[in-house]
């Protein structure tokens, strides 16, 4: 049997990449009953003909992300634009929390960097570099930073996420022109969106990599993340040392090391403020249960 990776699932057919070849596979009856197969799943195939196969076996998955539903993801490239649309740090922190919760390797990409960058905006993103995230300034338009981004994408399964219009599809096209992803103005895309459903699809990247271009999602909520885990998902909080109370939420508790670190300028105030907003949100979700 051949081993491959599911790149697309539509109407009962599974498209499975084996090397650079794609097989169209149907599910063995037993699998149909017992398992749901996701894009990104590694599977075993029984080949029937030139490009047809039966999907016989699911290899246990390492992980499963929802929205988009993709199995076995390694990395996320969180894309924002320097401008047009303006970057929203709360949205970025929200996505970072989700990505940390999903245990993905994270790369922050700031696209449209050929547009004028004010110093205050540069500082905004310095914060993320300082806490250890790779931050790459790119321009899909002028080919800036692409080689650096490319290094992260080889031999991994990576999802591109970020608000609509920041240039995710443009970046992927610039990195690998063969992809020919649709790009364009928001209004045009929304009009098109009414007529077509976009499926999650893995796109081959180089020899051993895959990328997923997600339709821009808006302000994702953190519904499924338990509020007590939130402090761990702000990675720099862990460096602040021990609070007096082990279950400190870093809000008003005495002897809080995180609050002290914010006062001392070790933890960025902007990050801490966003933490408080997201904590409040997570606690509200809990109340409605
Ligand atoms: N100035 C500038 N414009 C860019 C750059 N990259 C993309 N754009 C433009 O930004 C707009 C949106 O680009 P897309 O690649 O469609 O954005 P997207 O993030 O894939 O958007 P969604 O598919 O809606 O999530 C297009 O008009 C692009 O031409 C860049 O580096 N600089
Ligand atoms: Zn604390």
């Amino acid at each position: 049997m051949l081993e491959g990776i599911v790149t697309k699932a539509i109407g009962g057919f599974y498209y499975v990449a084996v090397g650079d070849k794609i097989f169209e596979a149907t599910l063995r009856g037993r699998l149909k009953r017992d398992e749901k197969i996701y894009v990104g799943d590694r599977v075993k195939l029984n080949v029937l003909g030139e490009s047809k196969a039966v999907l016989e076996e699911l290899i246990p998955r390492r992980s499963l992300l929802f929205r988009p539903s993709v199995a076995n993801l390694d990395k996320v490239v969180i894309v924002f634009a320097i401008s047009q649309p303006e970057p929203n740090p709360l949205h970025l922190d929200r996505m970072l929390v989700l990505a940390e919760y999903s245990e993905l390797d994270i790369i922050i990409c700031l696209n449209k960097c050929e547009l004028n960058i004010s110093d205050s905006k540069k500082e905004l993103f310095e914060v993320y570099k300082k806490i250890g995230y790779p931050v790459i300034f790119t321009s899909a338009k002028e080919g800036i930073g692409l080689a650096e981004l490319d290094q992260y994408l080889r031999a991994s399964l990576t999802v591109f996420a970020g608000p609509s219009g920041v240039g995710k599809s443009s970046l992927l096209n610039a990195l690998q022109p063969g992809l020919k992803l649709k790009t364009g103005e928001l209004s045009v895309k929304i009009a098109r969106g009414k007529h077509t459903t976009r499926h999650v699809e893995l796109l081959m990247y180089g020899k051993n990599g895959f990328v997923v271009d997600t339709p821009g999602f808006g302000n994702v909520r953190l519904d499924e993340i338990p509020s007590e885990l939130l402090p761990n998902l702000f990675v720099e909080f862990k460096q602040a040392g021990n609070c007096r109370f082990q279950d400190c939420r870093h809000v008003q508790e005495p002897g809080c090391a995180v609050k002290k670190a914010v006062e001392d300028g070790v933890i960025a105030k902007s990050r801490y403020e966003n933490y408080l907003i997201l904590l409040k949100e997570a606690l509200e979700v809990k109340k409605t249960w």
Side-chain angles (χ1 to χ4, degrees):
M1 272 194 284
L2 289 180
E3 216 177 286
I5 179 162
V6 177
T7 61
K8 191 165 70 169
I10 294 176
F13 288 103
Y14 294 82
Y15 297 84
V16 181
V18 180
D20 56 5
K21 205 169 150 49
I22 300 270
F23 289 90
E24 183 187 270
T26 50
L27 284 193
R28 169 69 64 212
R30 181 179 51 80
L31 275 178
K32 230 181 256 177
R33 275 197 316 274
D34 303 346
E35 298 272 9
K36 184 155 168 49
I37 307 276
Y38 292 92
V39 163
D41 270 329
R42 296 186 177 277
V43 295
K44 288 189 182 167
L45 293 182
N46 212 342
V47 174
L48 296 179
E50 184 54 25
S51 60
K52 304 256 186 230
V54 176
L55 202 161
E56 298 278 353
E57 197 182 321
L58 170 68
I59 298 169
R61 65 178 71 99
R62 277 189 289 122
S63 64
L64 179 61
L65 185 81
F66 290 100
R67 281 174 296 145
S69 299
V70 184
N72 301 321
L73 265 179
D74 298 305
K75 299 177 186 172
V76 57
V77 176
I78 300 180
V79 186
F80 275 79
I82 286 294
S83 174
Q84 302 171 20
E86 282 299 304
N88 174 340
L90 178 60
H91 191 176
L92 172 56
D93 286 337
R94 202 186 281 276
M95 296 187 74
L96 286 171
V97 162
L98 277 175
E100 289 289 351
Y101 183 64
S102 309
E103 297 181 346
L104 297 173
D105 285 347
I106 299 167
I107 298 108
I108 297 174
C109 173
L110 295 157
N111 192 38
K112 310 198 185 184
C113 77
E114 90 285 355
L115 300 174
N116 277 334
I117 314 173
S118 67
D119 283 347
S120 65
K121 241 183 234 172
K122 261 193 206 141
E123 260 166 47
L124 181 78
F125 293 109
E126 280 303 318
V127 167
Y128 297 92
K129 242 188 217 169
K130 227 174 88 187
I131 58 182
Y133 291 116
V135 176
I136 308 177
F137 287 85
T138 62
S139 167
K141 196 174 167 193
E142 298 195 350
I144 301 167
L146 298 181
E148 194 183 351
L149 184 54
D150 172 77
Q151 294 296 314
Y152 287 97
L153 306 179
R154 306 240 149 230
S156 333
L157 207 173
T158 309
V159 63
F160 273 60
S164 198
V166 295
K168 298 180 293 296
S169 306
S170 302
L171 278 170
L172 284 167
N173 282 339
L175 286 160
Q176 195 159 301
L179 290 176
K180 295 200 178 71
L181 298 170
K182 289 177 189 154
T183 65
E185 301 306 328
L186 204 51
S187 54
V188 179
K189 281 198 178 177
I190 289 167
R192 191 167 53 221
K194 282 185 187 144
H195 306 292
T196 53
T197 343
R198 281 178 72 174
H199 296 270
V200 183
E201 181 176 0
L202 296 194
L203 308 164
M204 284 195 205
Y205 189 88
K207 272 215 172 78
N208 305 307
F210 289 95
V211 290
V212 188
D213 180 23
T214 57
F217 45 85
N219 262 343
V220 275
R221 282 187 70 89
L222 305 178
D223 314 60
E224 63 258 48
I225 300 182
S227 62
E228 58 274 20
L229 291 186
L230 196 62
N232 294 328
L233 305 175
F234 278 74
V235 287
E236 73 273 41
F237 287 14
K238 286 180 244 174
Q239 253 87 68
N242 294 327
C243 301
R244 187 177 306 163
F245 301 107
Q246 223 178 22
D247 59 352
C248 186
R249 285 208 166 128
H250 322 309
V251 182
Q252 286 175 334
E253 297 87 340
C256 171
V258 167
K259 285 195 72 167
K260 172 93 175 35
V262 176
E263 277 157 26
D264 294 347
V266 177
I267 289 176
K269 203 156 171 269
S270 61
R271 286 273 292 170
Y272 179 67
E273 281 166 358
N274 287 345
Y275 164 73
L276 292 180
I277 293 171
L278 295 178
L279 178 67
K280 195 160 165 250
E281 205 175 274
L283 290 170
E284 271 165 16
V285 169
K286 212 174 190 176
K287 260 189 249 158
T288 61
W289 281 357

